[in-house]
Structure formats: C-alpha cells, structure tokens
Amino acid sequence: MTWDALQCAALDALGHVRYRTQLPGQTLPDDALLDALLRAAGRSRDAEDAFAIYRSLGELRALRDAQAKRALWPTLRRLRARAR
C-alpha cells in the first residue's frame, strides 16, 4: 500500500512504522543512484510506479556514465511534472 503525504505524517507522528509491500519479482535494488533518480523524478521508493520507473531506466550500471546521466534528465523532468 502506498501512503499519501498526510497519512505518512500522521503515522509518523503517532510513532507507527510504515511497511512497504512488494509484489514477487518487483523488488527495487538498494542502490544510491536509484534513490537519487527516484527523488529527481519526484518519487520515493514507496511510490506505486517506482518499480516501473526503475525498469524504464535500463541498467543502472550504464547510467553511472556522465553522458548517460545528462541524456536522462529530460525523462526525469517529464516524470516529475506528472508527479505533481
């Protein structure tokens, strides 16, 4: 389940721990680059479309190149605009 910002704030204020459910085969790797790309796209790891974004980015190893990162910015801007 994905919590909206108000629900997250309320649960955090109450001291509750939010758990993230993962569908089989839809686990995001623990990678700082992926986290940064999701933030740049205006998403978090808990976003409903986080796994789809991860799959659309291609291999993360290839994105460590500066030229590949520059080419990725238009896509991230488009995703951020849709997140609002």
Side-chain angles (χ1 to χ4, degrees), residues 40-43 56 71-84:
R43 306 298 199 291
S56 71
L72 186 63
W73 278 108
T75 303
L76 294 174
R77 279 191 215 101
R78 205 172 328 111
L79 288 168
R80 181 177 281 268
R82 273 194 268 159
R84 292 181 186 170

Side-chain angles (χ1 to χ4, degrees), residues 26-70:
Q26 291 193 358
T27 304
L28 294 173
D30 289 328
D31 191 324
L33 177 60
L34 176 60
D35 293 336
L37 291 171
L38 287 172
R39 275 193 312 273
R43 306 298 199 291
S44 69
R45 293 179 77 82
D46 294 328
E48 290 181 19
D49 60 347
F51 187 76
I53 291 171
Y54 162 65
R55 297 291 294 181
S56 71
L57 295 173
E59 185 139 357
L60 292 177
R61 196 172 3 155
L63 294 176
R64 298 202 187 280
D65 175 48
Q67 185 177 1
K69 287 179 190 176
R70 281 191 298 275

Side-chain angles (χ1 to χ4, degrees), residues 9-23:
L11 290 170
D12 291 343
L14 292 170
H16 293 291
V17 177
R18 291 175 276 128
Y19 292 100
R20 182 176 34 222
T21 59
Q22 297 290 336
L23 297 176

